[in-house]
Amino acid sequence: MLKRSFLILGRAAITSVGLFSFASVAHSQAAQGFDFVQSWKTDGFSMPESVVSIPGHPWIYVSNVNGDDAAGFVSRVSLDGTIDTLEWVSGIQTPTGMVAYDGGLYVVDQTRVHRIEITTGKITQTYTSAEATSLNDIDVSADGEFFVSELSGGTIHRIQGDVLEPWVSSNTLFPVPNGVMVSGDSLFVGNVGDMLSRDLTPDQYGAVSRVSLEDGQMEMLEQTNRLGTWDGLAIFGDGFLASSPFNGEVWYFYGDQKSLIGKFDGGVADIGTDPEQGIVYAPLLFGNAVAAYQPDSFNWRHITSEEVFGTEVVDQFFGDEGGQSVAKSDGTIEGEFGGQVLSGTWAWEDEMFCRTSMLGDMDIGSDCLVIEVTDEQMRLTMGQGEGPSVIYDRM
């Protein structure tokens, strides 16, 4: 990530053009949000669909759908990515979503949910549904209530006691529910889209919805709508990650803000996280691999409204050792870089900071930039979010 004496409100490398090529720093993959830094990647799986990490535990677990008409299985993998036992638990027809709770690993299997004793690798209990045909993902509340999505029929099931039964349905909000995630008193549901198809167009993509665990009331999270074919949902930092396997994207949602983290080959399915260690585990469903990532930072807040920009940025100085500048509330820009006066004007357009500015007698031109902030820094991505990024400190 760039952090040089470039113009915070101007075009990059104006004082250092000869130092390196623009092509080497432009990056559309992670222009917003935080960046994934790959720690390891391991091949040899068979359509890995879900990864579970347990805090303080020496292993992670990977469900393998196994797409060659054979039964699937669960793998046990060390924290450095070494496969300890590829078929740690076998004989599960189509293992998909998983969650760990109270010494057990709960694995979804079409019309059933299996409980595997983690210490022995033995299936100790199976919950079966008479109504379900395509169960997919699972999560659990703090008090041990399990919630299971069903891809067909827009239904979320739950396990109470020994019973797996339908709980809530919505053909409007989630006709194809996939990822589920419990946070506090809410269940978050990731919808694939208007239908179950790998040929969905962006206008058919799904959204993430919130369902109250107390009364079943539902609402769509508008910032997630039509961005992806939502599969894995995972709490991370002060927000949550969501994976979209059909277009290979992972997004980060923070309040009403959103950031595209990256685009990955192989279809990122039901991601797992170790929030204590800051690790994200990505099963590459169509790539037969699992990769581990450590974000460089996960507290960037993507500003999409002029109101938030006014609170977070306006009338505050940002810069580095080369100078500093400020976007003022009267729509002007003032600053100094490299011993030259920076001046200009700005306006908020289409969720971006658009500016025209001068450095001394040089006309820097106009551009619209994506703005992200933390409590200490601001990141600007040029070219409407498709160009290089620069980072500046709050002064």
Side-chain angles (χ1 to χ4, degrees), residues 58-385:
W59 309 104
I60 61 172
Y61 300 92
V62 180
S63 65
N64 295 256
V65 174
N66 202 2
D68 57 2
D69 296 325
F73 52 89
V74 177
S75 302
R76 189 169 73 173
V77 181
S78 69
L79 299 183
D80 65 1
T82 302
I83 297 176
D84 172 71
T85 309
L86 182 63
E87 297 190 23
W88 177 65
V89 178
S90 58
I92 302 176
Q93 188 59 41
T94 310
T96 50
M98 303 187 297
V99 68
Y101 179 77
D102 193 26
L105 183 66
Y106 291 77
V107 183
V108 178
D109 180 18
Q110 293 185 313
T111 64
R112 303 169 292 177
V113 175
H114 306 289
R115 181 191 186 276
I116 299 170
E117 184 67 34
I118 292 176
T119 57
T120 65
K122 303 296 185 182
I123 296 176
T124 59
Q125 189 167 3
T126 296
Y127 307 87
T128 301
S129 171
E131 296 90 350
T133 60
S134 54
L135 300 176
N136 188 270
D137 197 17
I138 185 169
D139 204 2
V140 62
S141 66
D143 60 1
E145 189 171 31
F146 293 85
F147 299 90
V148 187
S149 63
E150 184 178 11
L151 285 173
S152 61
T155 300
I156 304 298
H157 299 255
R158 67 178 174 182
I159 299 174
Q160 287 188 311
D162 292 332
V163 180
L164 173 61
E165 60 186 2
W167 176 51
V168 295
S169 298
S170 177
N171 284 318
T172 302
L173 291 179
F174 39 82
V176 190
N178 191 339
V180 290
M181 175 185 73
V182 176
S183 179
D185 59 358
S186 298
L187 177 72
F188 293 82
V189 180
N191 181 46
V192 173
D194 294 347
M195 65 194 79
L196 184 59
S197 170
R198 288 193 63 183
D199 297 322
L200 294 176
T201 57
D203 63 321
Q204 297 173 312
Y205 287 175
V208 178
S209 296
R210 178 191 290 113
V211 183
S212 169
L213 297 183
E214 297 180 356
D215 57 17
Q217 292 296 309
M218 308 177 194
E219 63 174 340
M220 178 191 294
L221 304 185
E222 293 293 340
Q223 68 270 33
T224 69
N225 194 28
R226 305 303 187 190
L227 287 180
T229 55
W230 302 125
D231 188 340
L233 306 177
I235 296 170
F236 206 69
D238 293 322
F240 69 92
L241 294 162
S243 61
S244 173
F246 293 178
N247 61 4
E249 294 182 350
V250 175
W251 285 75
Y252 183 63
F253 297 98
Y254 176 94
D256 62 355
Q257 307 295 307
K258 60 181 180 290
S259 293
L260 174 62
I261 302 308
K263 191 174 182 69
F264 303 88
D265 294 332
V268 182
D270 189 6
I271 52 179
T273 62
D274 183 342
E276 293 182 358
Q277 300 299 317
I279 299 174
V280 177
Y281 297 103
L284 304 177
L285 182 65
F286 308 121
N288 294 324
V290 172
Y293 299 89
Q294 289 190 288
D296 65 344
S297 168
F298 54 83
N299 56 358
W300 290 106
R301 302 188 292 275
H302 178 199
I303 297 178
T304 58
S305 74
E306 186 172 2
E307 179 182 5
V308 176
F309 183 75
T311 301
E312 296 269 16
V313 176
V314 170
D315 293 329
Q316 302 177 48
F317 280 87
F318 291 82
D320 64 7
E321 65 276 6
Q324 61 182 7
S325 65
V326 59
K328 302 181 67 176
S329 56
D330 63 2
T332 62
I333 297 168
E334 295 181 359
E336 181 179 339
F337 280 84
Q340 300 187 68
V341 174
L342 175 71
S343 61
T345 60
W346 69 272
W348 193 259
E349 299 177 9
D350 298 326
E351 299 187 351
M352 288 180 287
F353 171 79
C354 298
R355 60 96 192 106
T356 300
S357 52
M358 302 277 296
L359 182 67
D361 296 330
M362 182 181 297
D363 184 357
I364 301 170
S366 302
D367 193 9
C368 289
L369 301 90
V370 168
I371 304 295
E372 298 161 286
V373 297
T374 69
D375 291 340
E376 295 82 26
Q377 295 180 312
M378 176 167 64
R379 175 158 63 188
L380 305 94
T381 304
M382 303 172 200
Q384 301 182 27

Side-chain angles (χ1 to χ4, degrees), residues 1-4 6 20 24-37 260-261 296-297 300 372 377-382 387-392:
M1 193 60 58
L2 299 179
K3 185 180 178 184
R4 303 182 55 83
F6 296 166
F20 47 78
S24 68
V25 299
H27 60 294
S28 60
Q29 171 172 302
Q32 303 177 30
F34 52 86
D35 289 328
F36 275 155
V37 178
L260 174 62
I261 302 308
D296 65 344
S297 168
W300 290 106
E372 298 161 286
Q377 295 180 312
M378 176 167 64
R379 175 158 63 188
L380 305 94
T381 304
M382 303 172 200
S389 297
V390 292
I391 298 174
Y392 289 95

